[in-house]
Amino acid sequence: MRNPNKGLTLDDFSKLSDDRFKLDSRKIRKNIARLIEADGIMLPVDRLIRGYYLSEKPYIWINRLGIQKRADSLLVILENAGTCGVNTKILRVKQLKDDLYRMRTLQIDAESGDINMLMARLEYNLTKSYLRYSSILRFGISNPDYLYNNFEKLENDSVSERYRQLSDLKIERPNAEFIQQALAKALNDSINDFFVTLQPKSKLYRSLLNLLGQQNLKPAYRMKLLCNIERCRWRLTKFPDNEIERRIEANIPSYSVRAIDNGNVLYMRMACGALKHKTPLLASNVMRMDINPQWIVPKSIAKGFIHRPEYMHRMGMFVYDKKEGRLSPEQASYERMMNGEQYIIQSGGPKNSLGRIIFRFDNGFSVFLHDTSSPGVFKRAGRAVSHGCIRVEKPYELALFLMKDEDDELADKLKYSMTVNLFEDNDSIPNKNIDKKKMVRTLYVKPPVPIFITYYTIYYDESGHIVDYQDVYGYDAALEKQLKPFVE
Protein backbone atom coordinates (compact mmCIF):
# COMPACT_ATOMS: atom_id res chain seq x y z
CA MET A 1 0.00 0.00 0.00
CA ARG A 2 1.35 3.40 -0.91
CA ASN A 3 2.29 5.75 2.01
CA PRO A 4 0.36 9.03 1.49
CA ASN A 5 2.73 10.93 3.86
CA LYS A 6 5.87 10.09 1.92
CA GLY A 7 7.83 13.15 0.97
CA LEU A 8 6.36 15.51 3.63
CA THR A 9 8.54 18.48 4.62
CA LEU A 10 8.49 21.03 7.49
CA ASP A 11 6.70 23.45 5.21
CA ASP A 12 3.86 20.98 4.95
CA PHE A 13 3.51 20.90 8.76
CA SER A 14 3.62 24.69 9.02
CA LYS A 15 0.34 24.79 7.14
CA LEU A 16 -1.27 23.12 10.17
CA SER A 17 -0.21 25.99 12.48
CA ASP A 18 -2.96 28.09 14.05
CA ASP A 19 -2.02 31.48 15.50
CA ARG A 20 -4.90 31.22 17.95
CA PHE A 21 -3.01 28.54 19.91
CA LYS A 22 0.50 30.02 19.94
CA LEU A 23 1.82 30.62 23.43
CA ASP A 24 4.00 33.69 23.90
CA SER A 25 5.49 34.25 27.36
CA ARG A 26 6.01 37.96 26.72
CA LYS A 27 2.36 38.43 25.80
CA ILE A 28 1.28 36.48 28.88
CA ARG A 29 3.40 38.79 31.07
CA LYS A 30 1.88 41.88 29.48
CA ASN A 31 -1.63 40.50 29.93
CA ILE A 32 -0.97 39.75 33.61
CA ALA A 33 0.22 43.34 34.03
CA ARG A 34 -3.02 44.55 32.45
CA LEU A 35 -5.08 42.34 34.77
CA ILE A 36 -3.21 43.72 37.80
CA GLU A 37 -3.78 47.28 36.63
CA ALA A 38 -7.51 46.69 36.25
CA ASP A 39 -7.81 44.71 39.47
CA GLY A 40 -8.43 46.24 42.89
CA ILE A 41 -6.82 45.49 46.24
CA MET A 42 -9.31 44.03 48.73
CA LEU A 43 -6.94 42.18 51.05
CA PRO A 44 -3.35 42.88 52.16
CA VAL A 45 -2.20 39.77 50.34
CA ASP A 46 -3.39 41.26 47.01
CA ARG A 47 -0.63 43.85 47.18
CA LEU A 48 1.97 41.11 47.65
CA ILE A 49 0.61 39.19 44.65
CA ARG A 50 0.90 42.34 42.58
CA GLY A 51 4.55 42.69 43.58
CA TYR A 52 5.28 39.07 42.72
CA TYR A 53 4.14 39.29 39.11
CA LEU A 54 5.42 42.77 38.41
CA SER A 55 8.85 41.46 39.45
CA GLU A 56 8.50 38.82 36.69
CA LYS A 57 8.82 35.87 39.05
CA PRO A 58 8.26 32.31 37.70
CA TYR A 59 4.81 31.11 36.69
CA ILE A 60 3.16 28.80 39.21
CA TRP A 61 0.36 27.12 37.30
CA ILE A 62 1.23 27.24 33.58
CA ASN A 63 4.10 26.25 31.33
CA ARG A 64 4.73 25.85 27.59
CA LEU A 65 2.71 22.62 27.60
CA GLY A 66 -0.38 24.18 29.16
CA ILE A 67 -1.88 23.94 32.65
CA GLN A 68 -0.17 22.15 35.54
CA LYS A 69 -2.17 19.41 37.29
CA ARG A 70 -1.81 21.27 40.58
CA ALA A 71 -4.40 23.74 39.27
CA ASP A 72 -7.04 20.99 39.45
CA SER A 73 -6.05 20.14 43.04
CA LEU A 74 -6.41 23.77 44.01
CA LEU A 75 -9.79 24.13 42.32
CA VAL A 76 -11.22 21.22 44.35
CA ILE A 77 -10.09 22.97 47.55
CA LEU A 78 -11.48 26.34 46.47
CA GLU A 79 -14.86 24.86 45.55
CA ASN A 80 -15.22 23.73 49.19
CA ALA A 81 -14.20 27.06 50.73
CA GLY A 82 -17.79 27.66 51.79
CA THR A 83 -17.40 25.03 54.53
CA CYS A 84 -14.97 27.47 56.17
CA GLY A 85 -17.30 30.38 55.57
CA VAL A 86 -15.34 31.95 52.71
CA ASN A 87 -17.27 33.28 49.72
CA THR A 88 -16.17 31.46 46.54
CA LYS A 89 -16.92 34.61 44.53
CA ILE A 90 -13.87 36.39 45.93
CA LEU A 91 -11.88 33.25 45.02
CA ARG A 92 -13.15 33.53 41.43
CA VAL A 93 -14.10 29.87 41.34
CA LYS A 94 -16.60 30.16 38.49
CA GLN A 95 -14.14 32.10 36.30
CA LEU A 96 -11.41 29.53 37.01
CA LYS A 97 -13.68 26.60 36.13
CA ASP A 98 -14.79 28.24 32.90
CA ASP A 99 -11.26 29.19 31.86
CA LEU A 100 -9.84 25.74 32.66
CA TYR A 101 -12.55 24.15 30.55
CA ARG A 102 -11.88 26.52 27.64
CA MET A 103 -8.16 25.83 27.83
CA ARG A 104 -8.52 22.08 28.02
CA THR A 105 -10.98 22.00 25.13
CA LEU A 106 -9.22 24.76 23.17
CA GLN A 107 -12.41 26.77 22.93
CA ILE A 108 -10.63 30.03 22.18
CA ASP A 109 -13.08 32.69 21.06
CA ALA A 110 -13.81 36.39 21.30
CA GLU A 111 -15.43 35.92 24.71
CA SER A 112 -12.44 34.24 26.33
CA GLY A 113 -9.78 36.27 24.47
CA ASP A 114 -6.77 34.80 22.70
CA ILE A 115 -4.84 31.95 24.28
CA ASN A 116 -2.24 34.24 25.85
CA MET A 117 -4.93 36.26 27.60
CA LEU A 118 -6.61 33.04 28.73
CA MET A 119 -3.34 31.68 30.10
CA ALA A 120 -2.56 35.00 31.79
CA ARG A 121 -5.97 35.05 33.43
CA LEU A 122 -5.58 31.48 34.67
CA GLU A 123 -2.10 32.07 36.06
CA TYR A 124 -3.06 35.31 37.81
CA ASN A 125 -6.44 34.17 39.15
CA LEU A 126 -5.14 30.82 40.37
CA THR A 127 -2.40 32.57 42.33
CA LYS A 128 -4.75 35.22 43.64
CA SER A 129 -7.36 32.70 44.75
CA TYR A 130 -4.76 30.40 46.28
CA LEU A 131 -3.09 33.14 48.30
CA ARG A 132 -6.34 34.84 49.26
CA TYR A 133 -7.78 31.64 50.66
CA SER A 134 -4.51 30.70 52.35
CA SER A 135 -4.25 34.14 53.90
CA ILE A 136 -7.84 34.15 55.17
CA LEU A 137 -7.45 30.75 56.84
CA ARG A 138 -4.09 31.64 58.35
CA PHE A 139 -4.54 35.30 59.36
CA GLY A 140 -8.22 36.12 59.07
CA ILE A 141 -9.60 39.04 57.10
CA SER A 142 -9.65 42.01 59.47
CA ASN A 143 -7.15 43.63 61.82
CA PRO A 144 -8.75 44.00 65.28
CA ASP A 145 -6.35 46.72 66.42
CA TYR A 146 -7.36 48.88 63.46
CA LEU A 147 -11.04 47.95 63.73
CA TYR A 148 -11.54 48.53 67.45
CA ASN A 149 -9.16 51.48 67.77
CA ASN A 150 -11.35 53.31 65.25
CA PHE A 151 -14.59 52.22 66.88
CA GLU A 152 -15.38 54.83 69.54
CA LYS A 153 -14.70 58.53 69.09
CA LEU A 154 -12.91 60.05 72.03
CA GLU A 155 -12.82 63.63 70.84
CA ASN A 156 -14.16 65.38 67.78
CA ASP A 157 -13.24 68.88 66.70
CA SER A 158 -12.72 70.83 63.53
CA VAL A 159 -9.08 69.81 63.28
CA SER A 160 -8.99 66.07 63.92
CA GLU A 161 -10.86 63.05 65.24
CA ARG A 162 -9.49 60.94 68.06
CA TYR A 163 -10.62 57.48 69.04
CA ARG A 164 -10.45 55.52 72.25
CA GLN A 165 -7.82 52.77 72.23
CA LEU A 166 -9.70 49.53 72.81
CA SER A 167 -7.36 46.87 71.47
CA ASP A 168 -3.68 45.96 71.68
CA LEU A 169 -3.63 42.43 70.30
CA LYS A 170 -0.85 42.90 67.73
CA ILE A 171 -1.81 40.09 65.37
CA GLU A 172 0.27 38.54 62.61
CA ARG A 173 -0.39 39.74 59.07
CA PRO A 174 0.52 38.17 55.69
CA ASN A 175 3.99 39.17 54.50
CA ALA A 176 6.52 38.33 51.80
CA GLU A 177 7.82 35.38 53.82
CA PHE A 178 4.35 33.84 53.93
CA ILE A 179 3.96 34.35 50.16
CA GLN A 180 7.27 32.62 49.50
CA GLN A 181 6.31 29.71 51.73
CA ALA A 182 2.89 29.32 50.11
CA LEU A 183 4.22 29.46 46.55
CA ALA A 184 7.00 27.01 47.39
CA LYS A 185 4.34 24.56 48.56
CA ALA A 186 2.46 25.03 45.30
CA LEU A 187 5.56 24.48 43.17
CA ASN A 188 6.30 21.29 45.13
CA ASP A 189 2.72 20.04 44.67
CA SER A 190 2.13 20.16 48.43
CA ILE A 191 -1.04 22.25 48.35
CA ASN A 192 -3.24 19.82 50.26
CA ASP A 193 -0.72 19.42 53.09
CA PHE A 194 -0.23 23.18 53.22
CA PHE A 195 -3.93 23.90 53.73
CA VAL A 196 -4.04 21.41 56.60
CA THR A 197 -1.42 23.45 58.48
CA LEU A 198 -3.11 26.84 57.99
CA GLN A 199 -6.20 26.65 60.15
CA PRO A 200 -6.30 27.19 63.93
CA LYS A 201 -6.11 24.04 66.03
CA SER A 202 -8.28 25.30 68.88
CA LYS A 203 -11.27 23.34 70.09
CA LEU A 204 -13.46 26.45 69.88
CA TYR A 205 -12.62 26.95 66.20
CA ARG A 206 -13.52 23.36 65.34
CA SER A 207 -16.78 23.66 67.27
CA LEU A 208 -17.71 26.85 65.43
CA LEU A 209 -17.00 25.26 62.03
CA ASN A 210 -19.21 22.32 62.98
CA LEU A 211 -22.02 24.70 63.87
CA LEU A 212 -21.50 26.54 60.58
CA GLY A 213 -22.05 23.26 58.73
CA GLN A 214 -25.52 22.77 60.15
CA GLN A 215 -28.54 23.11 57.88
CA ASN A 216 -31.07 25.94 57.89
CA LEU A 217 -29.10 28.40 60.00
CA LYS A 218 -30.75 31.76 60.48
CA PRO A 219 -28.79 34.48 58.64
CA ALA A 220 -28.15 36.50 61.81
CA TYR A 221 -26.79 33.47 63.70
CA ARG A 222 -24.69 32.40 60.73
CA MET A 223 -23.12 35.86 60.61
CA LYS A 224 -22.45 35.67 64.32
CA LEU A 225 -20.67 32.36 63.80
CA LEU A 226 -18.55 33.90 61.04
CA CYS A 227 -17.55 36.80 63.31
CA ASN A 228 -16.32 34.38 65.97
CA ILE A 229 -14.59 32.12 63.44
CA GLU A 230 -12.74 35.22 62.26
CA ARG A 231 -11.61 35.96 65.82
CA CYS A 232 -10.22 32.43 66.14
CA ARG A 233 -8.02 33.11 63.09
CA TRP A 234 -6.28 36.10 64.63
CA ARG A 235 -2.79 34.91 65.60
CA LEU A 236 -0.93 37.05 68.12
CA THR A 237 2.67 37.96 67.36
CA LYS A 238 3.50 37.48 71.05
CA PHE A 239 1.67 34.14 71.30
CA PRO A 240 1.61 32.43 67.86
CA ASP A 241 0.21 29.27 69.47
CA ASN A 242 -3.47 30.06 70.01
CA GLU A 243 -3.98 27.04 72.29
CA ILE A 244 -1.37 27.45 75.04
CA GLU A 245 -1.78 24.63 77.56
CA ARG A 246 -1.63 26.86 80.66
CA ARG A 247 -3.40 30.20 80.31
CA ILE A 248 -6.15 32.54 81.54
CA GLU A 249 -8.99 33.64 79.26
CA ALA A 250 -11.19 36.55 80.31
CA ASN A 251 -14.05 36.75 77.82
CA ILE A 252 -16.13 39.92 77.91
CA PRO A 253 -19.52 38.86 76.40
CA SER A 254 -19.75 35.77 78.62
CA TYR A 255 -18.62 37.71 81.72
CA SER A 256 -16.38 34.80 82.59
CA VAL A 257 -12.78 33.90 83.37
CA ARG A 258 -11.42 30.46 82.52
CA ALA A 259 -8.07 29.45 84.00
CA ILE A 260 -6.93 26.49 81.90
CA ASP A 261 -4.21 23.97 82.66
CA ASN A 262 -3.86 21.08 80.20
CA GLY A 263 -7.59 20.89 79.63
CA ASN A 264 -8.59 21.34 83.28
CA VAL A 265 -10.68 24.50 83.67
CA LEU A 266 -11.23 26.73 86.69
CA TYR A 267 -14.35 28.75 85.82
CA MET A 268 -15.53 31.92 87.51
CA ARG A 269 -17.77 34.86 86.85
CA MET A 270 -16.32 38.29 86.24
CA ALA A 271 -17.38 41.92 85.93
CA CYS A 272 -15.81 44.09 83.23
CA GLY A 273 -15.80 47.64 81.92
CA ALA A 274 -19.06 49.52 81.43
CA LEU A 275 -19.98 50.84 77.98
CA LYS A 276 -18.30 54.17 78.75
CA HIS A 277 -15.18 52.43 80.09
CA LYS A 278 -14.83 49.38 77.87
CA THR A 279 -12.30 46.77 78.93
CA PRO A 280 -9.64 46.62 76.19
CA LEU A 281 -8.72 43.49 74.26
CA LEU A 282 -5.13 42.45 74.94
CA ALA A 283 -2.68 39.64 75.54
CA SER A 284 -0.01 39.67 78.21
CA ASN A 285 1.58 37.62 81.00
CA VAL A 286 0.49 37.66 84.65
CA MET A 287 3.73 38.58 86.43
CA ARG A 288 2.76 39.03 90.07
CA MET A 289 -0.01 39.24 92.66
CA ASP A 290 -0.22 42.05 95.23
CA ILE A 291 -2.16 41.29 98.39
CA ASN A 292 -4.11 44.04 100.13
CA PRO A 293 -3.15 46.60 97.48
CA GLN A 294 -3.66 50.32 97.81
CA TRP A 295 -5.93 51.94 95.24
CA ILE A 296 -4.95 55.21 93.61
CA VAL A 297 -8.38 56.65 92.88
CA PRO A 298 -8.72 57.94 89.27
CA LYS A 299 -9.36 61.68 88.91
CA SER A 300 -12.78 61.07 87.40
CA ILE A 301 -13.83 59.37 90.65
CA ALA A 302 -11.64 61.25 93.12
CA LYS A 303 -13.18 64.64 92.37
CA GLY A 304 -16.45 63.37 93.84
CA PHE A 305 -14.75 62.55 97.18
CA ILE A 306 -12.92 65.83 97.77
CA HIS A 307 -15.69 67.45 99.82
CA ARG A 308 -16.70 64.22 101.60
CA PRO A 309 -14.02 63.75 104.30
CA GLU A 310 -16.32 61.63 106.50
CA TYR A 311 -16.81 59.14 103.66
CA MET A 312 -13.08 59.09 102.94
CA HIS A 313 -12.29 58.37 106.60
CA ARG A 314 -14.87 55.60 106.67
CA MET A 315 -13.45 54.00 103.50
CA GLY A 316 -9.83 54.21 104.64
CA MET A 317 -8.81 56.92 102.17
CA PHE A 318 -6.13 59.58 102.55
CA VAL A 319 -4.60 62.32 100.44
CA TYR A 320 -1.09 62.09 99.05
CA ASP A 321 0.49 65.40 98.11
CA LYS A 322 3.64 65.39 95.94
CA LYS A 323 5.19 68.15 98.10
CA GLU A 324 3.80 67.47 101.57
CA GLY A 325 3.35 63.71 101.54
CA ARG A 326 0.44 62.02 103.32
CA LEU A 327 -2.41 64.33 104.36
CA SER A 328 -5.81 63.89 105.98
CA PRO A 329 -9.00 63.84 103.84
CA GLU A 330 -9.83 67.35 105.06
CA GLN A 331 -6.75 68.68 103.24
CA ALA A 332 -7.85 67.57 99.79
CA SER A 333 -7.65 70.34 97.16
CA TYR A 334 -9.73 70.19 93.99
CA GLU A 335 -7.27 72.39 92.08
CA ARG A 336 -4.19 70.40 93.12
CA MET A 337 -6.04 67.15 92.44
CA MET A 338 -6.93 68.17 88.89
CA ASN A 339 -3.35 69.38 88.27
CA GLY A 340 -1.95 66.02 89.30
CA GLU A 341 -0.28 67.41 92.45
CA GLN A 342 -2.49 65.43 94.81
CA TYR A 343 -4.00 61.94 94.77
CA ILE A 344 -6.62 60.19 96.82
CA ILE A 345 -5.42 56.76 97.90
CA GLN A 346 -7.47 54.02 99.52
CA SER A 347 -5.62 51.80 101.99
CA GLY A 348 -5.57 48.05 101.46
CA GLY A 349 -8.19 46.03 103.27
CA PRO A 350 -11.71 44.61 103.02
CA LYS A 351 -13.23 47.98 102.00
CA ASN A 352 -10.73 48.58 99.21
CA SER A 353 -12.37 48.69 95.78
CA LEU A 354 -9.63 46.37 94.46
CA GLY A 355 -10.51 43.81 97.11
CA ARG A 356 -7.80 41.83 98.84
CA ILE A 357 -5.68 40.88 95.84
CA ILE A 358 -4.79 42.20 92.39
CA PHE A 359 -3.25 40.25 89.49
CA ARG A 360 -0.81 42.42 87.54
CA PHE A 361 0.35 42.10 83.95
CA ASP A 362 2.04 44.52 81.57
CA ASN A 363 -0.34 46.57 79.42
CA GLY A 364 -0.75 50.14 78.26
CA PHE A 365 -4.25 50.59 79.70
CA SER A 366 -3.60 50.20 83.46
CA VAL A 367 -6.12 47.36 83.43
CA PHE A 368 -5.81 44.34 85.74
CA LEU A 369 -7.74 41.46 87.25
CA HIS A 370 -8.64 41.93 90.92
CA ASP A 371 -10.88 41.02 93.81
CA THR A 372 -13.77 43.30 94.79
CA SER A 373 -15.29 44.70 97.98
CA SER A 374 -18.75 44.29 96.39
CA PRO A 375 -19.17 40.57 95.57
CA GLY A 376 -22.89 41.06 95.02
CA VAL A 377 -22.06 42.19 91.47
CA PHE A 378 -21.56 38.55 90.46
CA LYS A 379 -25.25 37.83 91.05
CA ARG A 380 -26.20 40.20 88.23
CA ALA A 381 -26.85 38.97 84.70
CA GLY A 382 -25.22 41.99 83.06
CA ARG A 383 -21.86 42.74 84.65
CA ALA A 384 -20.37 45.50 82.51
CA VAL A 385 -19.99 47.87 85.46
CA SER A 386 -16.32 48.73 86.09
CA HIS A 387 -13.99 51.48 84.89
CA GLY A 388 -12.13 48.96 82.73
CA CYS A 389 -10.55 46.51 85.15
CA ILE A 390 -11.88 42.97 85.56
CA ARG A 391 -13.28 41.86 88.91
CA VAL A 392 -13.08 38.11 89.52
CA GLU A 393 -15.44 35.95 91.54
CA LYS A 394 -12.83 33.50 92.90
CA PRO A 395 -9.66 35.50 93.56
CA TYR A 396 -8.14 33.05 96.07
CA GLU A 397 -8.66 30.08 93.74
CA LEU A 398 -7.17 32.05 90.86
CA ALA A 399 -4.14 32.87 93.00
CA LEU A 400 -3.67 29.17 93.80
CA PHE A 401 -3.88 28.39 90.08
CA LEU A 402 -1.08 30.88 89.40
CA MET A 403 1.02 29.56 92.29
CA LYS A 404 0.64 25.99 91.00
CA ASP A 405 3.48 24.07 92.68
CA GLU A 406 3.98 26.27 95.74
CA ASP A 407 3.75 24.58 99.16
CA ASP A 408 0.71 24.48 101.43
CA GLU A 409 2.34 26.80 103.96
CA LEU A 410 2.47 29.63 101.43
CA ALA A 411 -1.14 28.96 100.44
CA ASP A 412 -2.14 29.25 104.12
CA LYS A 413 -0.25 32.53 104.44
CA LEU A 414 -2.02 33.84 101.37
CA LYS A 415 -5.41 32.92 102.81
CA TYR A 416 -4.56 34.56 106.13
CA SER A 417 -3.36 37.74 104.38
CA MET A 418 -6.56 37.94 102.33
CA THR A 419 -8.91 37.49 105.29
CA VAL A 420 -7.24 39.12 108.31
CA ASN A 421 -8.73 42.40 109.51
CA LEU A 422 -6.03 44.99 108.96
CA PHE A 423 -7.72 47.78 110.91
CA GLU A 424 -9.59 48.14 114.18
CA ASP A 425 -11.61 51.27 113.55
CA ASN A 426 -12.87 52.83 110.32
CA ASP A 427 -9.84 51.55 108.42
CA SER A 428 -7.62 54.05 110.20
CA ILE A 429 -6.22 52.31 113.30
CA PRO A 430 -3.96 49.34 112.43
CA ASN A 431 -4.82 46.01 114.05
CA LYS A 432 -2.03 45.26 116.53
CA ASN A 433 -2.92 41.55 116.70
CA ILE A 434 -1.89 40.75 113.13
CA ASP A 435 0.60 37.88 112.88
CA LYS A 436 3.20 39.54 110.68
CA LYS A 437 4.94 36.22 110.04
CA LYS A 438 1.85 35.04 108.20
CA MET A 439 1.47 38.15 106.09
CA VAL A 440 2.48 38.20 102.41
CA ARG A 441 2.33 41.33 100.28
CA THR A 442 3.57 40.23 96.86
CA LEU A 443 3.82 36.87 95.12
CA TYR A 444 5.61 36.54 91.79
CA VAL A 445 4.23 34.19 89.16
CA LYS A 446 7.04 31.94 87.91
CA PRO A 447 6.92 31.28 85.08
CA PRO A 448 4.52 34.05 84.06
CA VAL A 449 1.12 32.79 82.86
CA PRO A 450 -0.36 34.14 79.61
CA ILE A 451 -3.62 36.06 79.93
CA PHE A 452 -5.96 36.85 77.04
CA ILE A 453 -8.80 39.37 77.28
CA THR A 454 -11.06 38.24 74.46
CA TYR A 455 -14.40 39.05 72.86
CA TYR A 456 -16.27 35.92 71.72
CA THR A 457 -20.04 36.18 71.47
CA ILE A 458 -20.27 32.41 70.97
CA TYR A 459 -18.22 30.82 73.73
CA TYR A 460 -18.13 28.31 76.56
CA ASP A 461 -20.45 28.33 79.56
CA GLU A 462 -19.66 26.97 83.01
CA SER A 463 -20.30 23.40 81.83
CA GLY A 464 -18.07 23.73 78.78
CA HIS A 465 -20.95 23.93 76.30
CA ILE A 466 -20.91 26.41 73.40
CA VAL A 467 -23.43 29.18 74.13
CA ASP A 468 -24.66 32.28 72.32
CA TYR A 469 -23.96 35.54 74.20
CA GLN A 470 -25.08 39.15 73.83
CA ASP A 471 -22.88 41.53 71.82
CA VAL A 472 -22.15 43.68 74.89
CA TYR A 473 -20.00 46.37 73.25
CA GLY A 474 -21.46 46.15 69.72
CA TYR A 475 -18.24 44.73 68.28
CA ASP A 476 -20.00 42.06 66.20
CA ALA A 477 -21.80 44.72 64.19
CA ALA A 478 -18.53 46.51 63.39
CA LEU A 479 -16.77 43.27 62.44
CA GLU A 480 -19.69 42.12 60.31
CA LYS A 481 -19.31 45.15 58.02
CA GLN A 482 -15.71 44.17 57.27
CA LEU A 483 -16.47 40.51 56.74
CA LYS A 484 -19.57 40.70 54.52
CA PRO A 485 -17.76 41.00 51.14
CA PHE A 486 -15.67 37.91 51.93
CA VAL A 487 -17.96 35.41 53.63
CA GLU A 488 -21.00 33.35 52.70
Side-chain angles (χ1 to χ4, degrees):
M1 184 175 179
R2 187 178 178 183
N3 184 359
N5 296 320
K6 187 176 181 180
L8 287 176
T9 65
L10 290 176
D11 288 337
D12 294 312
F13 284 101
S14 67
K15 297 174 183 177
L16 299 176
S17 176
D18 190 330
D19 289 341
R20 292 179 303 159
F21 306 131
K22 284 185 178 179
L23 291 175
D24 187 324
S25 182
R26 290 174 299 177
K27 290 182 178 179
I28 293 173
R29 290 281 182 196
K30 288 181 180 179
N31 286 329
I32 290 177
R34 292 191 187 101
L35 291 170
I36 289 173
E37 190 64 30
D39 215 353
I41 294 175
M42 295 179 67
L43 292 168
V45 74
D46 294 348
R47 198 179 305 277
L48 298 170
I49 297 166
R50 179 187 183 98
Y52 179 85
Y53 282 112
L54 294 182
S55 301
E56 298 195 357
K57 296 290 179 66
Y59 297 135
I60 308 299
W61 315 96
I62 66 173
N63 59 23
R64 62 186 182 84
L65 300 177
I67 305 296
Q68 302 269 27
K69 289 184 178 180
R70 63 177 69 106
D72 298 290
S73 301
L74 175 61
L75 187 57
V76 171
I77 293 171
L78 297 177
E79 286 179 310
N80 290 286
T83 61
C84 292
V86 181
N87 193 335
T88 55
K89 288 183 180 179
I90 69 153
L91 303 180
R92 304 179 177 183
V93 169
K94 185 178 185 307
Q95 177 81 66
L96 287 171
K97 290 176 69 174
D98 291 346
D99 283 349
L100 279 171
Y101 178 78
R102 290 189 184 103
M103 188 62 205
R104 296 263 166 74
T105 59
L106 292 179
Q107 293 187 23
I108 312 299
D109 51 33
E111 181 182 351
S112 62
D114 66 25
I115 195 168
N116 292 301
M117 173 52 80
L118 183 58
M119 290 288 271
R121 198 161 61 231
L122 278 166
E123 171 67 23
Y124 175 65
N125 283 339
L126 282 164
T127 299
K128 191 153 195 170
S129 300
Y130 171 57
L131 292 178
R132 273 186 170 182
Y133 191 38
S134 301
S135 173
I136 290 171
L137 293 182
R138 176 61 179 80
F139 303 101
I141 293 164
S142 60
N143 183 336
D145 288 340
Y146 177 83
L147 176 64
Y148 298 131
N149 290 334
N150 290 275
F151 179 80
E152 183 178 298
K153 289 183 181 179
L154 184 63
E155 183 178 319
N156 188 5
D157 56 32
S158 59
V159 178
S160 63
E161 290 184 340
R162 295 176 57 204
Y163 292 84
R164 189 179 301 279
Q165 301 299 293
L166 297 171
S167 176
D168 189 25
L169 292 176
K170 294 185 176 68
I171 67 167
E172 294 181 351
R173 304 300 289 156
N175 54 24
E177 183 180 354
F178 173 75
I179 295 295
Q180 291 172 5
Q181 179 191 18
L183 295 182
K185 294 292 185 181
L187 288 168
N188 291 326
D189 292 325
S190 301
I191 293 173
N192 288 303
D193 293 339
F194 181 57
F195 275 102
V196 170
T197 67
L198 292 175
Q199 300 194 59
K201 303 298 186 292
S202 71
K203 180 182 176 182
L204 179 61
Y205 180 75
R206 295 193 298 271
S207 298
L208 293 173
L209 284 186
N210 287 336
L211 289 171
L212 187 69
Q214 293 180 354
Q215 300 295 319
N216 302 318
L217 291 177
K218 292 183 179 180
Y221 182 68
R222 181 178 177 80
M223 195 67 228
K224 195 166 192 174
L225 280 170
L226 292 169
C227 285
N228 288 280
I229 287 170
E230 168 75 1
R231 292 180 177 116
C232 288
R233 289 176 178 149
W234 296 336
R235 311 288 183 92
L236 309 180
T237 55
K238 191 172 183 179
F239 301 99
D241 182 358
N242 61 353
E243 197 78 345
I244 299 170
E245 290 184 348
R246 183 168 163 78
R247 65 192 187 276
I248 296 172
E249 295 177 356
N251 187 55
I252 292 168
S254 61
Y255 300 121
S256 67
V257 169
R258 300 170 76 242
I260 303 161
D261 190 354
N262 290 302
N264 298 313
V265 179
L266 168 64
Y267 178 95
M268 66 193 74
R269 296 182 179 188
M270 76 174 194
C272 61
L275 286 177
K276 291 184 178 180
H277 307 281
K278 295 178 178 66
T279 297
L281 309 183
L282 58 86
S284 188
N285 284 301
V286 180
M287 309 293 288
R288 76 174 199 267
M289 301 173 275
D290 293 335
I291 297 88
N292 294 308
Q294 291 186 335
W295 179 42
I296 301 176
V297 183
K299 284 183 185 179
S300 59
I301 302 175
K303 63 185 181 182
F305 297 158
I306 290 174
H307 301 299
R308 300 172 62 192
E310 300 86 358
Y311 175 81
M312 291 172 64
H313 276 295
R314 188 167 67 252
M315 299 306 293
M317 295 179 180
F318 62 90
V319 175
Y320 178 80
D321 190 288
K322 286 186 175 180
K323 289 185 178 179
E324 302 180 43
R326 180 167 177 155
L327 302 174
S328 69
E330 288 79 4
Q331 294 173 281
S333 164
Y334 182 87
E335 182 179 352
R336 293 182 65 77
M337 195 79 64
M338 293 301 102
N339 289 336
E341 297 169 349
Q342 280 188 358
Y343 301 94
I344 292 179
I345 297 177
Q346 186 178 32
S347 300
K351 296 183 180 180
N352 190 288
S353 295
L354 301 179
R356 304 302 291 263
I357 188 169
I358 187 169
F359 304 89
R360 298 193 183 275
F361 43 91
D362 291 340
N363 68 91
F365 303 94
S366 295
V367 166
F368 307 100
L369 269 63
H370 62 78
D371 184 18
T372 178
S373 58
S374 304
V377 70
F378 300 116
K379 295 179 181 179
R380 302 183 191 178
R383 297 190 289 277
V385 296
S386 79
H387 275 72
C389 282
I390 290 175
R391 307 173 191 175
V392 294
E393 182 185 26
K394 302 175 182 177
Y396 178 68
E397 290 86 344
L398 184 59
L400 293 182
F401 170 86
L402 291 168
M403 291 165 59
K404 194 177 181 180
D405 297 326
E406 297 290 349
D407 55 37
D408 293 339
E409 183 180 354
L410 185 57
D412 290 341
K413 287 183 177 181
L414 174 64
K415 189 166 189 176
Y416 178 82
S417 302
M418 290 179 62
T419 55
V420 66
N421 191 2
L422 301 179
F423 301 95
E424 293 181 352
D425 178 38
N426 287 340
D427 282 5
S428 58
I429 302 174
N431 183 358
K432 297 178 181 179
N433 297 319
I434 292 176
D435 187 346
K436 294 183 179 180
K437 292 182 180 180
K438 289 185 177 182
M439 291 296 293
V440 288
R441 295 198 175 277
T442 296
L443 292 173
Y444 291 92
V445 180
K446 298 180 180 178
V449 174
I451 178 169
F452 305 93
I453 300 180
T454 61
Y455 195 93
Y456 289 102
T457 51
I458 300 178
Y459 191 70
Y460 302 103
D461 66 3
E462 186 171 2
S463 301
H465 299 126
I466 301 295
V467 177
D468 185 10
Y469 293 100
Q470 184 180 355
D471 184 12
V472 180
Y473 291 163
Y475 286 174
D476 272 7
L479 183 55
E480 180 180 334
K481 289 180 182 178
Q482 288 206 351
L483 297 185
K484 270 192 172 179
F486 306 98
V487 298
E488 66 176 11

